[in-house]
Amino acid sequence: MLDFALSAFVTLLLVVDPVGLAPAFLAATGGMPDKVKRTIALRAPLIAASILVVIALAGNWLLRQLGIGIPAFQIAGGLLLFGVSYQMIFGDRPHREAREADKATSEHASDVAVFPLAIPMMAGPGAIATTLLLTGDAGYGAKLAIIIAIVVAVCAICMLCFVSAHLIAKTLGRTGNAVLSRVLGMLLAAYSVQFVINGIAAVRTSFS
């Protein structure tokens, strides 16, 4: 159970990348009063956590209604996560997220806590796919409770990173943020490949 909890926590943490979201938060809240920034820093992670908790609770039911097997979702989700890791390693994910946040602000988004911070930056396709993958065989027992606790913990880390976004951006700098993104991308790539391997192994077992 401890290994499951640690693996799930690391996987979701890598996907959401709270430290990497700090520049996006600064871009989205640029020019806003400090009081408004603090409100957004608290509200956005709460919204993202609510979305992911609902996904965790209803994910298995949704997959059954759609007739999607867990192995199929493991393979598809693993490939999706690999795409996210590829962007982190070879792309420009932190700066792209910052540009998206800045664009949303310039277009007068009604609430930047909802868009783009909660969706799609925290509770995006990668985080949703990860949550569904983790809850695929968790059932409704202790593992599901652990996953929900992990979702809350990761979103709480996002909240801390948003509150201290200026300090994080100043400490890491452009080079440090790029290095961190690529190291985390490598770890996430390994996890995503493992998801695909597990899905293929489950398919082979079902036909043997």
Side-chain angles (χ1 to χ4, degrees):
M1 194 67 72
L2 180 60
D3 289 341
F4 172 79
L6 182 60
S7 176
F9 176 75
V10 171
T11 303
L12 189 60
L13 189 68
L14 292 176
V15 171
V16 177
D17 187 15
V19 175
L21 288 179
F25 174 80
L26 292 176
T29 58
M32 296 182 180
D34 289 341
K35 184 177 180 180
V36 175
K37 289 182 179 180
R38 286 194 295 271
T39 300
I40 294 174
L42 298 176
R43 189 180 179 194
L46 290 176
I47 295 171
S50 300
I51 294 171
L52 294 178
V53 167
V54 170
I55 293 295
L57 293 173
N60 287 326
W61 176 84
L62 179 62
L63 290 179
R64 286 196 300 269
Q65 295 302 310
L66 296 175
I68 300 174
I70 297 301
F73 198 85
Q74 284 179 318
I75 295 172
L79 293 175
L80 176 60
L81 292 182
F82 187 83
V84 174
S85 68
Y86 183 89
Q87 291 179 354
M88 293 174 70
I89 297 170
F90 297 105
D92 193 24
R93 186 186 178 194
H95 300 99
R96 176 175 53 81
E97 288 174 338
R99 289 193 297 269
E100 289 175 355
D102 187 57
K103 180 181 178 182
T105 304
S106 65
E107 291 176 352
H108 307 289
S110 58
D111 192 348
V112 295
V114 178
F115 175 85
L117 293 177
I119 308 168
M121 291 185 179
M122 281 184 284
I128 291 173
T130 301
T131 304
L132 281 172
L133 284 170
L134 294 173
T135 56
D137 59 352
Y140 290 96
K143 284 187 176 181
L144 180 60
I146 288 174
I147 293 170
I148 292 175
I150 287 170
V151 166
V152 173
V154 170
C155 289
I157 293 173
C158 286
M159 189 181 295
L160 292 175
C161 288
F162 289 166
V163 171
S164 56
H166 279 287
L167 180 61
I168 292 174
K170 183 178 179 180
T171 301
L172 288 179
R174 182 183 179 93
T175 302
N177 200 32
V179 171
L180 178 64
S181 178
R182 280 153 178 79
V183 171
L184 295 180
M186 283 294 296
L187 293 173
L188 181 58
Y191 274 108
S192 65
V193 171
Q194 188 61 53
F195 277 129
V196 174
I197 292 173
N198 293 343
I200 294 174
V203 171
R204 292 186 62 184
T205 301
S206 65
F207 283 102
S208 61

